[in-house]
Amino acid sequence: MFGRRSAVEDMAGQAARSGARFLRTADALGDAGLRGPSGLATWTRGHVLAHVARSADAYVWMLRLARTGAEPGPRADAAAMARAVEEGAALPAAELLAGTRRSLDRFAEEVRTMPGPAWDTMVTALAGWRHPAWYVLCRCVRELETHHVDLAAGYRTADWPEAYVAWALEETLAALAARGFPLSRVTAADHDRTWEVSPDGPAVTAPGHVLLGWLSGRTPAARITGDGPSGTLPVPPPWPQPPVPGWGPESG
């Protein structure tokens, strides 16, 4: 699907809109707001912004690699990324916001100038997942939408665009099914969709954004309706999982 220009343009548009919404919320927080707690344990909202900025930089690195065939400088490892987030979170609000905007703008420019054939070039995520360059667009949208909720500044899973919920929930459930996650059936009542995930486990029903929020650790299980006794829902694994179809880890 993503080999076609229209599909790539659609996902690029989703990324641009997600980024604009994220920045509008961040701009309204001010210095005190950015020092306040986020929805993630031990992180302030400033940490969330700094993380989004460094993730955008990582996506730019991968797209440049796909476009040129050469690594565009050293790649930050997990420890360096963690240090950069801590340093970014300590910056004055105006500087942190400006830096986050620049990182997202660089990503948008890299997307805009990417040659069509380069989207199918394989790249490797820092976690070791190997995927085509077009999947970076999906990762960016997911990053922005999830961490927008993590800002704990009024943006909820119910505010997620339907298009995002539709493909992200489909992808997450495919990954869980491939790993034998114990849910027998998942029904997104508002999307009129049902997925068979595993031969074992309860069947669950909820609006699509609630299901995706639960599977991504952003919505409590109490909001999920299951067919088993209270408290029997399985605990979702760390999110996100490697994508399906699995392009596999880098060889060698």
Side-chain angles (χ1 to χ4, degrees), residues 1 9 13 20 26 35 46 54 58 61 66 74 77 83 122 134 151 163 165 175-176 187 203 222 226 231 241:
M1 179 178 71
E9 289 177 348
R35 305 300 166 220
R54 299 293 73 76
W61 191 95
D77 61 15
R83 288 194 300 272
M122 298 298 289
W134 59 255
L151 284 178
V165 173
L176 292 175
T187 299
Q241 295 84 43

Side-chain angles (χ1 to χ4, degrees), residues 171-232:
E171 178 181 274
T172 299
L173 290 171
L176 292 175
R179 290 156 181 78
F181 186 65
L183 282 179
S184 60
R185 184 181 300 107
V186 176
T187 299
D190 56 336
H191 286 246
D192 196 26
R193 287 291 310 276
T194 297
W195 294 264
E196 304 293 333
V197 179
S198 168
D200 305 309
V204 298
T205 301
H209 72 90
V210 174
L211 291 166
L212 184 60
W214 171 55
L215 293 172
S216 62
R218 270 69 186 179
T219 301
R223 295 189 61 188
I224 307 292
T225 300
D227 66 359
S230 177
T232 62

Side-chain angles (χ1 to χ4, degrees), residues 108-205:
E109 180 64 13
E110 203 64 37
V111 170
R112 188 187 68 79
T113 58
M114 188 80 160
W119 287 113
D120 290 323
T121 302
M122 298 298 289
V123 294
T124 304
L126 190 60
W129 309 342
R130 194 155 169 78
H131 58 71
W134 59 255
Y135 191 72
V136 172
L137 294 168
C138 302
R139 293 180 59 193
C140 184
V141 173
R142 184 176 62 200
E143 188 87 7
L144 288 162
E145 291 298 331
T146 304
H147 290 311
H148 198 165
V149 171
D150 292 336
L151 284 178
Y155 193 77
R156 306 158 300 158
T157 63
D159 298 313
W160 281 340
E162 283 194 17
Y164 165 65
V165 173
W167 68 254
L169 184 57
E170 175 93 31
E171 178 181 274
T172 299
L173 290 171
L176 292 175
R179 290 156 181 78
F181 186 65
L183 282 179
S184 60
R185 184 181 300 107
V186 176
T187 299
D190 56 336
H191 286 246
D192 196 26
R193 287 291 310 276
T194 297
W195 294 264
E196 304 293 333
V197 179
S198 168
D200 305 309
V204 298
T205 301

